[in-house]
Amino acid sequence: MKLNTSRVMGFRNLAAALLAAISLAVLGPAHAALTIEIVGSGANQIPVAIVPFAGEAALPQGISTVVAADLQRSGLFKIVDTAAVPFQPHEQSEVNYADWRARGAEAMAIGSVLRLPDGRLEVRFHLLDAVKQTPLAGYSYVIAAAQLRATAHKIADLIYEKLTGDVGVFGTRIAYIVKSGKHHELQVADADGYGAQTVLASSEPIISPSWSPDGTRLAYVSFERKKPVIYVQSLLSGKRQVLAQFKGNNSAPAWSPDGKQLAIVLTKDGGSQIYMINADGSGLKRLSYSSGIDTEPSFSPDGAWIIYTSDRGGSPQIYRMNTSGNSVQRLTFEGNYNVSPHYSPDGKSFTFIQRVSGSFHVALQDLATGQVQVLTDSRMDESPSFAPNGKMLLYATEIGGRGILAAVSSDGRVRQRLSTQSGDVREPEWGPLLKSQ
Amino acid sequence: MKKVLLSTMLVSLLAACAGQDVKEQPKAAVEDRGAAQQQAVAQPMGQTGVEANPLKDPNNILSKRSVYFDYDKSNVKGEYKPMVEAHAKYLASHKAAKVAVQGNTDERGSREYNIALGNHRADSVRKMMNVLGVPDSQIETVSFGEEKPRATCHEESCWKENRRADIVYQGE
């Protein structure tokens, strides 16, 4: 992915975007655009030792520190301190299990990095069960130096998967908007906030980024034509096209799980109503028919349902309809402001924003039981979305008048804050698992 | 006749004075809006041969462009009806004129829902104009939601300023 600047952008913004590009290049990947702070922890943390890999000290980018940080961030692991250990094993035959058990480790990762004659790197790693003293997994990768972080995330994903039974999402990416003064940027970064790239820079607002299911495109709403217009942009080529520019507003794009269509919200027939459109902009079809507001559509993972916000009952609540626009059903009944629904990846629950005594919180509702759990206690939470394994939710909130991103585990126990040095960060959406992962 | 003109002038003067307060205190402007309606009725008498653009004349109700709304609401309150009606009459008699009605909200809640709410507010103004004979071909409603706040503090004094629909004539 490379920096893309919109054609309609003014020179001032172009200059700013170029400056951003330059600073990114100069600072390099070691300087995060987003820094992370973790609050709380899981109920049962698995103690795991990530032993520094042989040969990694000579590399511009370590592996074991990234792996440890990933695992720690999830709140599900207790990272056993390895710094004071006199002998650090890199091969299974070198491991003294009794020593590591004494330090509390139930599992441990060891490995090495070797520079090959052609300049590429060979990364080997083993995950060991320190209790049973048996190997759990072993992999080796041949990579370019630029792929070190990505490889570290891949190793963290494997460890997470082996030890928790759930899919790891450390290798995924997030999209969000940064606003500094009148400057707006749509950015994409790794799930740990590193490697931020500017997808679009504009002097007009950008909102509602939405990942295509294959992670190669973003749909979003830009105000650069003095009203909300929906674009779809390729992250590979940087090229973009207008998806919807009808009379009135064009907003709230949501991809169908097969990536062929999007649910969007138009006002061309009066009020805000939900329509379906093909990803190439053809085949527009109206789905919802109410006299009030219908907006914020989100597809169920099986593609059969759309949940959305509607005020047809007098206050904004979450509703569900099938993708033909029928079988309409109201889902939320607590409170008088429930908005921004997103399905969980398993389709069994949905997240949304609930207003309680003037404050806006991230909530989770079970579809079968209707039971609601409020996950946050901050005041101005917005736009929650699930990690692709359903274990964490990413959302926007505010601290000291500044917009930041935050994540909370789906049981509400672990929270992370992701903040930038300056500007307001908002409108996050967690990207999908990529096929290669 | 003289009395009418005099009172018209006085009313205009009052409206002009009060008008300066509109930006900071929309509520203070409430009284002059009713008075300004009389002015709009009376104006044709005094207008003979004078005056360029009534849309720019600060003494004319047509120079007023903003409708303010209650939190979470999109109905046009009674105090703003004379102003919307005056624009409707102008548009009905100037078929070439076109307006954008731009809806806005305060910063609280969902950005997308606020786009829809802002649109609903703009739509309320449009529908009122429709009833008075202005076809949709002369009106486009758009919403900026909470994205383009006129006032930027994080409390009610700014929020009430941002719960607003603006009538903007094409070419302005």
Side-chain angles (χ1 to χ4, degrees):
Chain A
M1 188 178 31
K2 60 179 186 182
L3 182 96
N4 175 72
T5 50
S6 133
R7 263 168 294 159
V8 296
M9 209 167 61
F11 279 112
R12 203 162 51 94
N13 298 317
L14 186 65
L18 286 173
L19 270 176
I22 289 162
S23 63
L24 273 175
V26 170
L27 292 173
H31 293 253
L34 293 165
T35 51
I36 294 183
E37 180 192 338
I38 305 150
V39 187
S41 64
N44 297 301
Q45 290 186 313
I46 303 169
V48 57
I50 311 296
V51 182
F53 284 23
E56 73 174 0
L59 299 170
Q61 170 68 59
I63 292 182
S64 60
T65 49
V66 175
V67 173
D70 278 349
L71 296 174
Q72 185 158 38
R73 214 170 60 248
S74 72
L76 300 180
F77 299 88
K78 185 176 182 302
I79 305 300
V80 174
D81 186 21
T82 56
V85 183
F87 179 74
Q88 300 190 324
H90 305 300
E91 301 287 340
Q92 281 184 74
S93 57
E94 298 170 354
V95 178
N96 177 353
Y97 284 106
D99 191 17
W100 291 96
R101 283 296 293 136
R103 293 173 193 277
E106 290 179 11
M108 55 190 296
I110 57 170
S112 59
V113 188
L114 186 70
R115 193 175 283 278
L116 300 175
D118 64 3
R120 291 186 300 165
L121 303 167
E122 184 178 11
V123 181
R124 290 165 175 266
F125 115 95
H126 289 281
L127 177 64
L128 309 171
D129 183 328
V131 181
K132 291 180 185 161
Q133 308 194 356
T134 52
L136 290 169
Y139 290 90
S140 73
Y141 311 93
V142 175
I143 58 163
Q147 294 171 288
L148 272 167
R149 279 199 82 86
T151 304
H153 292 316
K154 206 177 270 187
I155 290 169
D157 281 340
L158 283 163
I159 296 172
Y160 183 94
E161 207 165 325
K162 284 287 173 194
L163 299 183
T164 70
D166 292 313
V167 177
V169 292
F170 303 118
T172 57
R173 292 191 291 173
I174 58 174
Y176 53 88
I177 311 293
V178 181
K179 177 176 184 274
S180 308
K182 292 205 162 178
H183 187 70
H184 304 257
E185 286 196 7
L186 168 59
Q187 295 186 357
V188 168
D190 294 347
D192 64 356
Y194 278 77
Q197 305 271 338
T198 299
V199 176
L200 178 75
S202 173
S203 58
E204 295 289 335
I206 309 165
I207 62 168
S208 305
S210 175
W211 288 92
S212 67
D214 66 1
T216 63
R217 286 173 291 173
L218 281 175
Y220 55 82
V221 176
S222 170
F223 285 69
E224 64 200 52
R225 299 191 189 189
K226 305 299 173 197
K227 67 174 206 173
V229 169
I230 305 171
Y231 296 80
V232 169
Q233 182 162 335
S234 164
L235 294 176
L236 306 173
S237 67
K239 279 186 190 155
R240 64 179 197 155
Q241 65 174 87
V242 170
L243 179 77
Q245 187 182 207
F246 297 94
K247 184 176 180 179
N249 301 334
N250 306 261
S251 65
W255 295 84
S256 64
D258 64 9
K260 290 178 180 164
Q261 292 180 297
L262 293 96
I264 59 174
V265 172
L266 305 177
T267 60
K268 71 184 196 66
D269 299 316
S272 298
Q273 294 288 298
I274 298 169
Y275 297 72
M276 200 91 98
I277 194 166
N278 294 331
D280 64 1
S282 68
L284 185 73
K285 182 190 150 202
R286 183 167 171 178
L287 279 194
S288 76
Y289 288 87
S290 76
S291 57
I293 291 170
D294 287 348
T295 187
E296 302 186 307
S298 164
F299 279 88
S300 63
D302 65 5
W305 298 95
I306 289 172
I307 46 173
Y308 58 102
T309 307
S310 176
D311 74 344
R312 63 186 68 190
S315 66
Q317 299 289 344
I318 312 303
Y319 287 71
R320 181 169 81 168
M321 64 182 166
N322 65 24
T323 41
S324 309
N326 301 315
S327 305
V328 176
Q329 184 193 356
R330 180 170 164 177
L331 299 177
T332 53
F333 296 91
E334 286 176 33
N336 58 7
Y337 192 93
N338 294 308
V339 297
S340 307
H342 260 83
Y343 261 103
S344 65
D346 65 6
K348 290 178 182 165
S349 61
F350 63 91
T351 181
F352 61 106
I353 294 293
Q354 182 167 64
R355 186 177 68 200
V356 183
S357 350
S359 291
F360 300 84
H361 305 298
V362 177
L364 194 61
Q365 180 164 329
D366 185 280
L367 275 161
T369 65
Q371 203 177 343
V372 176
Q373 189 190 356
V374 176
L375 298 177
T376 59
D377 54 10
S378 25
R379 281 187 57 240
M380 297 285 260
D381 302 342
E382 291 181 12
S383 40
S385 66
F386 278 94
N389 65 359
K391 296 295 168 187
M392 294 291 284
L393 296 103
L394 181 65
Y395 60 99
T397 188
E398 199 189 276
I399 288 184
R402 224 154 63 81
I404 65 159
L405 303 187
V408 61
S409 59
S410 52
D411 62 4
R413 297 187 63 105
V414 185
R415 277 179 223 158
Q416 309 167 8
R417 287 174 190 161
L418 300 86
S419 52
T420 48
Q421 287 98 345
S422 62
D424 287 300
V425 199
R426 50 171 69 161
E427 296 286 277
E429 198 187 63
W430 208 313
L433 278 176
L434 299 179
K435 285 274 149 51
S436 64
Q437 292 172 329
Chain B
M1 183 64 183
K2 263 186 183 170
K3 262 188 180 175
V4 172
L5 273 177
L6 188 63
S7 66
T8 301
M9 283 168 65
L10 272 172
V11 163
S12 303
L13 200 62
L14 282 170
C17 293
Q20 296 187 333
D21 286 333
V22 167
K23 273 202 171 161
E24 269 107 39
Q25 291 177 303
K27 277 213 169 148
V30 168
E31 283 164 40
D32 85 270
R33 297 237 157 93
Q37 186 194 17
Q38 297 172 12
Q39 175 215 353
V41 175
Q43 189 150 33
M45 286 186 282
Q47 210 184 22
T48 47
V50 227
E51 271 318 287
N53 189 351
L55 299 172
K56 304 278 188 198
D57 177 2
N59 294 333
N60 195 310
I61 192 171
L62 291 172
S63 68
K64 308 248 180 304
R65 304 299 181 81
S66 295
V67 179
Y68 294 87
F69 296 84
D70 289 337
Y71 182 43
D72 271 358
K73 295 283 189 283
S74 47
N75 57 301
V76 177
K77 292 190 278 186
E79 64 205 73
Y80 302 107
K81 284 181 180 165
M83 189 255 289
V84 175
E85 284 165 8
H87 285 287
K89 280 179 188 155
Y90 180 87
L91 287 165
S93 61
H94 295 77
K95 294 292 181 193
K98 286 184 176 171
V99 288
V101 183
Q102 301 168 340
N104 297 272
T105 71
D106 69 37
E107 64 181 347
R108 290 172 289 176
S110 152
R111 289 178 185 276
E112 277 291 353
Y113 187 75
N114 282 339
I115 295 275
L117 182 61
N119 179 71
H120 203 177
R121 286 173 177 166
D123 223 30
S124 298
V125 173
R126 176 184 65 85
K127 281 177 179 160
M128 194 176 275
M129 290 178 165
N130 285 158
V131 169
L132 295 166
V134 185
D136 281 347
S137 57
Q138 278 180 279
I139 316 169
E140 178 169 24
T141 54
V142 293
S143 175
F144 298 139
E146 63 179 277
E147 305 306 325
K148 296 186 164 240
R150 181 185 282 173
T152 55
C153 70
H154 304 293
E155 55 188 66
E156 178 58 21
S157 63
C158 289
W159 291 338
K160 69 180 181 187
E161 181 64 26
N162 295 334
R163 296 191 296 265
R164 195 184 74 247
D166 294 325
I167 298 165
V168 180
Y169 282 80
Q170 194 175 57
E172 279 185 339

